[in-house]
Amino acid sequence: MATTTHRRYAEIMRDVEELINNHITHQKKGTHGRSKLKLLVPSVGIFFTPLPLKDAFVYQDRQRFISSRRFVAPSFNDIRLILNSSQIMGLVREERIKLVTFDGDVTLYDDGESLRSSNLVIPRILRLLNSGTKIGIVTAAGYTNASRYYERLHGLLDALAGAVDQGNISQPELVVLGGESNYLFRFNTSCNHLLEYIPRDQWMLDEMKLWTEEDVTALLDVAEGALSECIANMHLQADILRKERAVGIVPRAGGQKITREQLEETVLVTQQVLEMSEAGKRLPFCAFNGIPISIVDSLRLLIQSFTAGGNDVFVDIGDKSWGVLSCQRFFGGIEGSRTLHVGDQFLSAGANDFKARLACTTAWIANPAETVQLLDELESHSARIDNGEDGSSY
């Protein structure tokens, strides 16, 4: 029974894989609107690489024994992990990965925690850096000074500095991009807190250079007003926190925890208010499905509301797509087909990793342990390719 089930699941995955390949063929010709997949799923976007779903299913079936289950059908998590594996395989089979970017909370470390020296992800990242892969940590945390990022990432930064001092890694290329796409710091052993601030004019995209402080202020003012109304209407025990390029609500100390439903309502209300405001009408505003809701060709300013994995809601200037694109540009113009973004928020309202799909390939993890497993899988599949295997048999 398991053999028959395995074969049928593999056939289904192969059918979907062929639909994607057909879409990629049309994509290269500029006719992706006519692909079979586009007709079946009108909202489908672009693919940076092929997705060998059949091979990925075979691989994950050996890990999770999906075909051996009699009563439980393939789950959401099964499909999510199969897609992750297929994306890894697609990347390493096409071209070697040049850049891996990570979210912070829930991806590299538990929510609200820091990246300590005992974290198992650290040696994996060091091996990536040693192989010449560039690393970007694209986080919602919007700090203007290196010390705050060092507090969150000290385990990795100290380990990397030690590896450089011992000669185990030479010229590692690691950056931290904070506030989604607002503050860039580069690893530098000669700097305090091991991070060097990079002025915006050295890494911002041309579109981002058109953003003015007047428009940023106007839009954040509208967002702050919407957030204040949500606090009043839902009697939230929360305070407004205004930053240079962000505004949000945080739970009041000793107050009642804000429920998930209240957080999502706050996100959606704030989005709608921004869309209907004059500032929102003047500026492009992207919702979480990656489709621009308001497209007016004045300034290329993107604002994203999100629940940052914790018990708060923020509106940031920019989003993860701008952050990843900025990392790609800073490292010399790395293509999306050679970049992987790893994050935990791709689904619900407030999914601030979703937009990264516009800039590169992505992997959706649920916790830091899955990030470790993903990097081990990346290393394993890369080794197979380096050893001359085609990677098509698992």
Side-chain angles (χ1 to χ4, degrees):
M1 180 177 176
T3 301
T4 302
T5 302
H6 175 91
R7 184 175 65 250
R8 182 58 186 141
Y9 286 165
E11 290 171 353
I12 293 170
M13 290 297 173
R14 180 58 186 166
D15 289 342
V16 177
E17 183 179 332
E18 289 177 352
L19 284 172
I20 293 172
N21 289 339
N22 172 265
H23 185 80
I24 292 174
T25 299
H26 279 280
Q27 196 173 278
K28 291 177 179 178
K29 297 177 180 178
T31 59
H32 57 276
R34 296 185 225 162
S35 76
K36 296 177 183 177
L37 185 59
K38 188 72 172 180
L39 295 174
L40 292 169
V41 187
S43 62
V44 71
I46 63 171
F47 290 86
F48 291 94
T49 69
L51 295 179
L53 290 169
K54 178 183 176 182
D55 290 344
F57 165 73
V58 172
Y59 175 82
Q60 283 294 337
D61 200 26
R62 291 183 177 178
Q63 315 298 316
R64 300 173 68 82
F65 305 99
I66 301 167
S67 300
S68 299
R69 301 198 303 244
R70 294 177 58 196
F71 300 106
V72 179
S75 68
F76 177 87
N77 282 328
D78 291 329
I79 300 302
R80 177 175 59 82
L81 294 173
I82 290 169
L83 286 169
N84 285 351
S85 293
S86 68
Q87 186 58 86
I88 293 294
M89 293 176 184
L91 276 166
V92 301
R93 291 181 190 179
E94 291 293 302
E95 299 178 272
R96 179 170 291 279
I97 295 178
K98 291 180 118 180
L99 169 64
V100 180
T101 61
F102 297 91
D103 179 34
D105 285 79
V106 188
T107 299
L108 292 176
Y109 43 83
D110 289 330
D111 184 40
E113 299 295 326
S114 61
L115 191 51
R116 298 187 176 91
S117 59
S118 58
N119 193 308
L120 295 178
V121 80
I122 292 175
R124 275 91 176 160
I125 293 178
L126 294 184
R127 288 199 292 270
L128 283 173
L129 288 164
N130 192 42
S131 71
T133 303
K134 298 166 178 57
I135 298 296
I137 299 175
V138 184
T139 173
Y143 307 134
T144 58
N145 56 76
S147 62
R148 297 296 303 276
Y149 290 110
Y150 178 79
E151 291 175 9
R152 302 298 294 271
L153 305 170
H154 59 89
L156 173 61
L157 296 174
D158 288 341
L160 182 54
V164 170
D165 289 342
Q166 295 170 15
N168 296 329
I169 300 178
S170 61
Q171 298 181 329
E173 296 190 83
L174 178 148
V175 297
V176 178
L177 190 51
E180 306 287 14
S181 56
N182 287 295
Y183 311 103
L184 185 70
F185 294 83
R186 174 173 53 194
F187 175 78
N188 189 332
T189 55
S190 64
C191 291
N192 289 335
H193 311 295
L194 302 175
L195 290 171
E196 172 191 4
Y197 176 74
I198 307 299
R200 289 195 181 111
D201 60 4
Q202 295 184 26
W203 58 268
M204 289 177 70
L205 303 173
D206 291 340
E207 296 93 333
M208 298 169 72
K209 292 177 181 178
L210 298 175
W211 302 356
T212 67
E213 292 305 314
E214 291 78 10
D215 287 296
V216 169
T217 300
L219 196 126
L220 292 180
D221 286 345
V222 174
E224 182 173 347
L227 292 168
S228 298
E229 287 188 11
C230 288
I231 290 176
N233 294 339
M234 290 187 283
H235 304 282
L236 304 179
Q237 297 185 32
D239 295 314
I240 295 287
L241 178 60
R242 179 80 176 244
K243 299 182 179 181
E244 180 190 22
R245 297 175 79 82
V247 62
I249 62 171
V250 294
R252 196 166 295 150
Q256 185 177 1
K257 183 176 180 179
I258 307 172
T259 67
R260 179 180 179 85
E261 291 77 11
Q262 290 171 325
L263 289 170
E264 293 194 358
E265 175 71 10
T266 302
V267 167
L268 296 173
V269 166
T270 305
Q271 285 179 319
Q272 185 180 56
V273 170
L274 286 170
E275 291 163 19
M276 298 175 65
S277 70
E278 288 304 313
K281 291 175 182 177
R282 288 198 312 270
L283 310 172
F285 182 85
C286 280
F288 297 172
N289 59 7
I291 301 174
I293 292 177
S294 173
I295 303 178
V296 179
D297 193 18
S298 55
L299 299 179
R300 299 282 298 172
L301 180 59
L302 300 183
I303 305 90
Q304 181 182 37
S305 310
F306 65 94
T307 51
N311 202 223
D312 51 20
V313 173
F314 271 87
V315 175
D316 266 335
I317 303 301
D319 60 36
K320 287 285 173 75
S321 68
W322 290 105
V324 174
L325 288 168
S326 297
C327 289
Q328 291 169 338
R329 183 195 176 206
F330 183 76
F331 286 128
I334 298 175
E335 307 93 334
S337 60
R338 305 188 76 175
T339 304
L340 175 69
H341 177 72
V342 183
D344 66 289
Q345 294 192 37
F346 285 95
L347 179 63
S348 64
N352 68 325
D353 288 304
F354 191 97
K355 290 291 187 57
R357 303 195 315 171
L358 299 174
C360 65
T361 69
T362 58
W364 183 354
I365 57 84
N367 51 59
E370 280 195 4
T371 301
V372 171
Q373 294 169 5
L374 182 82
L375 294 182
D376 285 344
E377 188 177 335
L378 172 60
E379 192 171 6
S380 173
H381 293 321
S382 297
R384 291 171 67 92
I385 300 299
D386 292 340
N387 292 334
E389 302 177 48
D390 63 7
S392 60
S393 58
Y394 286 90

